[in-house]
Amino acid sequence: MAKKTAYAFYEHLLLLSPDQKVNAEIMDIKTAYSNDYGLASAIKSKPHITLANFGQFESMERPIVEDFEKLAKAIPPTTIKLSGFGQFNYRTIYVNVINNKPIAQGVSAMKLRLSKKLNALDTFKPSFSNNLHLTIARNMAEPQFRQAWEEWGKRRYNASFAANGMLLLKREIDPLTFSPKESYRLVKYFPFTGKEQEAEQLALF
């Protein structure tokens, strides 16, 4: 394997991961999409809720990790509630995440304070999840979407899990084509502590 350098470019995902029970339930749904609608890609990604997606060079990883550590200390452990299904642009179907104030505040603080630091290339702008959701399937062809949405749009699904921290993953990509050179791997887990004094300063992060 070639030695990594400070110029290696990585795509990063900051996310919440459901507990074992919810993970199994969502994987069952993803498997149904794969089997019933020919969406093999649905089972290629593990269930997760994306908070942010950005690209950055290896040399910037340490200060970014330190910023996320600081942010996580201001977010209290919380409960994520899931309810029903939604869709984006007739191509993506997801599980709805009920509005969660601590996480929403954390994402807003991240967007306000870290956008410039996470913006390494003009062609790879950082994105922040204002509408939290848990994707079931994406990039669906119109016939696949229409069939799946007709069957799942009105289905009920309710679940919840404890969110005690967030995960940062990364994979090296080509900075010109954005093609991945490897699978995602863990950078660090950031536990939520929600210490009172730090929580009060979340909006000022």
Side-chain angles (χ1 to χ4, degrees):
M1 181 180 293
K3 184 178 179 180
K4 306 295 184 185
T5 72
Y7 300 103
F9 190 75
Y10 292 87
E11 180 179 12
H12 295 74
L13 282 179
L14 186 70
L15 55 84
L16 302 177
S17 181
D19 61 22
Q20 187 174 2
K21 178 178 180 296
V22 174
N23 185 83
E25 292 173 353
I26 297 299
M27 282 307 303
D28 284 345
I29 297 173
K30 283 173 162 282
T31 299
Y33 272 63
S34 177
N35 294 337
D36 296 346
Y37 315 121
L39 290 163
S41 59
I43 58 175
K44 290 184 178 180
S45 62
K46 295 181 179 180
H48 66 276
I49 298 170
T50 299
L51 303 180
N53 172 233
F54 62 94
Q56 190 51 268
F57 293 98
E58 178 81 359
S59 57
M60 284 297 296
E61 183 172 298
R62 179 174 294 181
I64 288 172
V65 166
E66 291 174 352
D67 285 331
F68 285 147
E69 286 176 334
K70 181 179 178 182
L71 176 62
K73 289 179 180 178
I75 300 174
T78 186
T79 298
I80 300 297
K81 297 180 179 180
L82 309 174
S83 181
F85 298 89
Q87 58 90 10
F88 288 135
N89 301 321
Y90 305 104
R91 297 195 68 190
T92 297
I93 294 177
Y94 59 86
V95 176
N96 293 309
V97 176
I98 302 301
N99 185 46
N100 183 290
K101 186 175 180 179
I103 300 300
Q105 287 181 328
V107 173
S108 294
M110 190 189 317
K111 183 176 182 178
L112 178 65
R113 302 298 180 186
L114 300 182
S115 290
K116 290 183 179 180
K117 186 175 290 187
L118 304 183
N119 188 15
L121 298 174
D122 289 340
T123 49
F124 195 134
K125 297 291 186 181
S127 62
F128 304 90
S129 298
N130 297 320
N131 181 7
L132 295 179
H133 61 279
L134 197 161
T135 298
I136 299 298
R138 66 174 74 241
N139 297 325
M140 304 170 71
E142 183 178 346
Q144 292 173 317
F145 171 82
R146 292 190 179 281
Q147 183 183 3
W149 188 243
E150 181 178 354
E151 296 180 18
W152 287 83
K154 296 181 181 179
R155 284 203 188 189
R156 295 183 179 181
Y157 175 72
N158 294 285
S160 63
F161 65 91
N164 297 314
M166 56 189 184
L167 298 163
L168 181 64
L169 308 182
K170 72 175 182 181
R171 64 179 178 182
E172 187 177 6
I173 62 174
D174 186 301
L176 297 178
T177 64
F178 301 142
S179 300
K181 296 183 177 181
E182 60 182 357
S183 299
Y184 281 109
R185 50 193 170 91
L186 178 66
V187 176
K188 192 163 185 177
Y189 172 76
F190 306 100
F192 297 149
T193 60
K195 294 180 180 178
E196 184 174 353
Q197 290 181 337
E198 291 167 328
E200 291 175 354
Q201 297 299 315
L202 181 59
L204 301 177
F205 172 77

